[in-house]
Amino acid sequence: MKQITLFRVAMSCFNFTNAQNKDTSKEYFQQAKTQLENMLNGKEKPNYEKAIYTIENAWYQNMVDKQTFEQAMDFHIQAIQKIIKDNYNEKEITQKPSLLISQQEIKQQYKQAVINYAIYNYITNTTIYTDSNIIFYHKPYHYSSTDPMASNNWENSQLINLNNTKQGNCFALASLFKIFSDRLTSDANLCIAPSHIYIRHKDDKGTKYNVELGSKNFPGTGMISAVTYTTNQAIQSGIAQRELNTTQAVALCLVYLAKGYQHKFNNTTDEFILQCAETALQFDSKNLNAQLLKAEYLENKLTAQHKTIAQLQTQTDFKEYQNLIAKLYSEGYREMPLEMKNTLLKLYNKEKIKPTTKPLESVSLSFGLFDERHEIK
């Protein structure tokens, strides 16, 4: 029995800033930004798989062979197609055609549902199959619960690392599902919420379902709202729990490119970060991640001056920061209380929760430095 171990990159090749000049490394990020912009402004057709490859290749200093990347995805697709073949049976279709839906559309719905089931099964369960008299087994992917925000290790947000270690955060898991879906045309989309990304697709009857790959569950809108601290106002304004089209998904990659830049160079005030956020917002004005990235950039730039609020108030950056925070608040964004975050992570890991009598204290974007609570007067 042979285990599938694809895309195993010799990580010793990537001694990042020591291997190459830092300016050269930064140029790779600039090139990646230009490639994403080309997909957004119509010079190239938007492609989510290519966008993911582009931002991760920049992280690895343009040393990821594109053909190897595509071959790895090809191999996964072949395995998924075997699952589809084993489960596809049009005799199971019970829905009847009507004025609202034709028989052909019913079959298409059923086919896409089976494909999405196969992708889900491949990602979340051990898969065993034979090919050329060789038995292959593929281990499931797991949620990186010890570093869900990729704060300690940015590679936890990357598809390459997910492929090699079988662990990644919600962005890595959802991106893998999205790439498989795009290749197999199963019409599954990325869906965003504060600090979370998941998948949404239709079942064989046309009803939309949320797919949470980290917990392997199918939560309803209410559950996701509770877990991600999403307000009804945020849903209504369009910054949370909305599906992304391909262009919007590529714009989201700009945010992850900028965050990767932050981690690699330990720099939170570089103009490159702001450029990525503003370009993403140009093509998706409701992009919550991009708005938060821009707010974080402005905040870091202001706090680095070590000045008082009174001294900062006349600066353009300060006014822009305040306006952006006020806008996020009016759109329904609320930062989750820190204790609630920790409680949810423990629940996610099925740890025993100790009851607390302490009130939940809200943690602001600036940890109290700037007021995020605004009233319209």
Side-chain angles (χ1 to χ4, degrees):
M1 185 175 288
K2 186 176 180 181
Q3 181 182 352
I4 301 175
T5 53
L6 298 174
F7 220 37
R8 184 69 64 181
V9 183
M11 299 309 294
S12 59
C13 294
F14 305 119
N15 191 10
F16 305 132
T17 54
N18 293 329
Q20 298 186 34
N21 182 278
K22 183 179 287 189
D23 290 338
T24 303
S25 298
K26 288 184 176 180
E27 181 59 29
Y28 296 139
F29 280 83
Q30 290 286 353
Q31 292 171 4
K33 176 175 170 289
T34 300
Q35 290 173 339
L36 294 177
E37 288 172 341
N38 287 341
M39 281 191 264
L40 292 171
N41 59 30
K43 291 182 179 179
E44 295 183 28
K45 184 178 179 180
N47 183 290
Y48 189 68
E49 179 179 336
K50 184 178 180 181
I52 289 294
Y53 166 79
T54 298
I55 64 175
E56 296 193 10
N57 189 36
W59 172 267
Y60 290 115
Q61 301 184 158
N62 279 20
M63 296 179 70
V64 180
D65 180 66
K66 186 176 182 182
Q67 185 176 2
T68 302
F69 184 93
E70 292 175 348
Q71 286 175 345
M73 296 301 106
D74 289 342
F75 201 91
H76 289 310
I77 291 297
Q78 290 175 15
I80 294 170
Q81 286 174 328
K82 293 180 184 296
I83 301 174
I84 296 170
K85 184 178 179 181
D86 291 340
N87 288 275
Y88 189 85
N89 182 6
E90 289 188 0
K91 292 181 180 179
E92 295 181 356
I93 299 176
T94 58
Q95 188 176 3
K96 303 298 182 183
S98 66
L99 292 174
L100 300 177
I101 188 168
S102 66
Q103 186 65 38
Q104 184 179 356
E105 290 171 329
I106 291 172
K107 287 184 178 180
Q108 179 67 10
Q109 258 181 194
Y110 172 77
K111 182 180 179 181
Q112 289 180 334
V114 172
I115 293 171
N116 285 323
Y117 161 78
I119 296 172
Y120 170 83
N121 191 59
Y122 185 75
I123 290 176
T124 60
N125 294 302
T126 299
T127 305
I128 301 175
Y129 64 93
T130 59
D131 189 10
S132 301
N133 297 322
I134 300 175
I135 300 176
F136 290 90
Y137 75 95
H138 174 265
K139 292 182 178 180
Y141 300 97
H142 298 286
Y143 183 67
S144 179
S145 57
T146 57
D147 189 18
M149 305 303 292
S151 302
N152 300 321
N153 181 9
W154 183 246
E155 291 176 11
N156 281 326
S157 70
Q158 295 178 345
L159 190 146
I160 290 174
N161 183 68
L162 175 66
N163 191 93
N164 291 342
T165 66
K166 302 299 181 187
Q167 286 201 352
N169 68 3
C170 59
F171 179 71
L173 287 164
S175 292
L176 186 64
F177 196 113
K178 173 63 176 172
I179 288 172
F180 290 161
S181 172
D182 285 350
R183 284 195 170 213
L184 295 165
T185 62
S186 65
D187 195 28
N189 295 308
L190 296 177
C191 201
I192 61 169
S195 300
H196 193 47
I197 298 177
Y198 54 101
I199 291 293
R200 183 179 290 167
H201 66 74
K202 295 178 181 179
D203 66 3
D204 60 328
K205 301 294 192 300
T207 302
K208 289 190 175 183
Y209 275 75
N210 300 316
V211 183
E212 217 299 305
L213 296 165
S215 62
K216 304 179 183 180
N217 290 325
F218 309 94
T221 300
M223 175 62 74
I224 291 178
S225 295
V227 171
T228 61
Y229 213 59
T230 298
T231 64
N232 289 336
Q233 189 178 359
I235 298 173
Q236 292 168 2
S237 67
I239 65 170
Q241 295 197 24
R242 66 185 176 102
E243 295 179 45
L244 303 183
N245 59 33
T246 303
T247 298
Q248 292 166 339
V250 171
L252 180 65
C253 288
L254 276 168
V255 177
Y256 280 83
L257 179 69
K259 295 297 290 184
Y261 187 96
Q262 283 184 349
H263 282 265
K264 177 175 279 293
F265 303 110
N266 193 27
N267 188 331
T268 59
T269 57
D270 194 295
E271 189 76 13
F272 177 84
I273 298 165
L274 179 62
Q275 291 172 359
C276 287
E278 290 187 331
T279 302
L281 290 171
Q282 179 185 346
F283 292 93
D284 182 9
S285 61
K286 296 294 185 180
N287 190 317
L288 175 61
N289 302 66
Q291 291 187 71
L292 291 173
L293 177 65
K294 183 175 180 179
E296 180 189 359
Y297 166 83
L298 293 171
E299 176 189 312
N300 289 328
K301 196 174 177 183
L302 291 165
T303 55
Q305 299 179 45
H306 303 290
K307 293 181 179 179
T308 65
I309 298 296
Q311 292 173 318
L312 292 170
Q313 282 180 339
T314 58
Q315 294 187 18
T316 301
D317 285 344
F318 184 89
K319 295 176 182 178
E320 187 174 9
Y321 177 82
Q322 278 201 318
N323 291 336
L324 182 54
I325 294 298
K327 178 176 180 291
L328 282 165
Y329 189 86
S330 68
E331 289 176 340
Y333 174 74
R334 302 292 184 273
E335 178 74 11
M336 182 183 291
L338 184 59
E339 187 169 335
M340 184 180 289
K341 285 183 179 179
N342 293 333
T343 299
L344 288 170
L345 280 175
K346 289 179 180 179
L347 286 170
Y348 206 87
N349 296 328
K350 299 181 180 179
E351 296 179 21
K352 188 175 181 180
I353 308 300
K354 294 181 180 179
T356 178
T357 56
K358 295 180 180 179
L360 294 177
E361 297 180 358
S362 176
V363 179
S364 69
L365 185 66
S366 59
F367 285 87
L369 181 59
F370 301 114
D371 184 15
E372 290 183 19
R373 293 167 178 80
H374 299 264
E375 294 180 3
I376 297 175
K377 298 181 181 180

